[in-house]
Amino acid sequence: MAVSKATPAKQGWKEKCAGIGRQMIKKRWLYFLLVPGILFFAIFKYVPMYGLKIAFMDYNQYDPSKSTWVGLAQFASLFSKRSFLPVLRNTVVISLLKLVIGFPIPVILALMMNEMRSLKFKKVSQTLLYLPHFISWVILAGIIMTLLDPDNGLITQLIFQITGQKVMVLTDSKWFVPMLIVTDIYKGMGWGTILYFAAISGIDPSLYEAASIDGAGRWRQAINITLPSIVPTIVVCFILNCGNILNAGFDQIFMLYTSHVYDVADIIDTYVYRMGIINNDYSFSTAAGMFKSVVAFLLIMIVNSVAKKTGNEGLF
């Protein structure tokens, strides 16, 4: 009676799976720590994707069984609306300004703080810089509105003392977008330094010792050793930020904007909110949200490909 033998490829596959299984059992507690993160993404990111079908339907929220398929009609309606193009322009402009102005600041901040001699002062500075990240935009918006009150605001009064002009920052289109950029940088710059500090801590100290022996000062060491060593981290963060080009910051803008600045501050997220929640047009708002996701995916793929072709490490 002939005995069948497994092919080498099949045996190799079985051995590989068995090896992975042994490693998972051996490091089971480390894998157990991944469970909350996996559940979070599964429940709040992947399961809701089933609702994307609404973008291809004329959805009836009162009786979903009466909803009809309309194909790409919602997307055609989205791009044909004259009100959507200004919204798209505002989103791109605000996001690009936040990226161009705000992205380098955590890098510069991390390099500067790495050169601090006093460890105690460095820790206190890091704590104060991280703090705004943990303050919600609801609270921060209240603080900003108080500081920018045209009659009694500390900042507006200071501007009035210097220039003699009463500035209406929250209702003036000329000032509103710069205010968004400054407050967004203030809230996120400290938290953005964490990844760069982690990358800096992994640099081999012998490189600094060799540079010091060769006569390089702290400035030359920062430029020629520290900065090149964290370039891969900078590239990865830049790729991820490019994926958020159409996320101009709903929480921030929704808490601060008014109808006076709709011409420069109305973005896709606030537009979707009005169309979907206020006007009950769920299919249209879902189509707009799906458009954002597709653009973000394409941008990440393009920037990642460009990064790899220029000799940098990509995201994948």
Side-chain angles (χ1 to χ4, degrees), residues 151-192:
D151 296 319
N152 303 310
L154 178 63
I155 295 177
T156 49
Q157 288 299 311
L158 182 62
I159 295 174
F160 178 75
Q161 293 295 329
I162 297 174
T163 64
Q165 297 180 353
K166 184 176 287 188
V167 180
M168 309 284 286
V169 178
L170 296 174
T171 56
D172 190 339
S173 299
K174 181 178 67 175
W175 292 100
F176 191 81
V177 173
M179 181 272 298
L180 291 178
I181 308 303
V182 172
T183 53
D184 182 74
I185 292 173
Y186 166 75
K187 190 175 190 298
M189 64 180 181
W191 188 252

Side-chain angles (χ1 to χ4, degrees), residues 140-157:
L140 198 58
I143 297 172
I144 292 169
M145 286 188 285
T146 301
L147 293 174
L148 297 178
D149 183 271
D151 296 319
N152 303 310
L154 178 63
I155 295 177
T156 49
Q157 288 299 311

Side-chain angles (χ1 to χ4, degrees), residues 102-115:
F103 181 79
I105 290 180
V107 180
I108 297 170
L109 200 59
L111 292 173
M112 292 174 63
M113 295 184 69
N114 185 58
E115 300 302 321

Side-chain angles (χ1 to χ4, degrees), residues 45 87-88 90-99 137 181 184 240-253 267-270 272 288-297 299-300:
K45 301 297 182 181
V87 167
L88 179 61
N90 293 340
T91 306
V92 173
V93 168
I94 293 173
S95 295
L96 284 177
L97 286 173
K98 286 183 178 180
L99 180 64
W137 275 115
I181 308 303
D184 182 74
L240 293 174
N241 276 271
C242 286
N244 291 320
I245 287 295
L246 294 186
N247 289 325
F250 171 76
D251 293 342
Q252 177 192 22
I253 294 175
I267 59 173
I268 293 177
D269 289 331
T270 55
V272 167
M290 190 173 180
F291 164 72
K292 280 182 52 184
S293 300
V294 171
V295 171
F297 175 76
L299 284 172
I300 288 177

Side-chain angles (χ1 to χ4, degrees), residues 188-210:
M189 64 180 181
W191 188 252
T193 60
I194 289 179
L195 287 176
Y196 302 120
F197 279 133
I200 290 172
S201 65
I203 300 175
D204 188 354
S206 63
L207 295 175
Y208 294 105
E209 294 172 2

Side-chain angles (χ1 to χ4, degrees), residues 55-56 70-77:
F56 305 96
V70 295
L72 299 176
Q74 298 292 351
F75 294 93
S77 175

Side-chain angles (χ1 to χ4, degrees), residues 121-153:
F121 181 73
K122 181 178 179 180
K123 290 183 177 180
V124 172
S125 300
Q126 287 178 319
T127 303
L128 293 175
L129 286 170
Y130 296 160
L131 188 60
H133 173 79
F134 298 99
I135 302 175
S136 71
W137 275 115
V138 177
I139 298 173
L140 198 58
I143 297 172
I144 292 169
M145 286 188 285
T146 301
L147 293 174
L148 297 178
D149 183 271
D151 296 319
N152 303 310

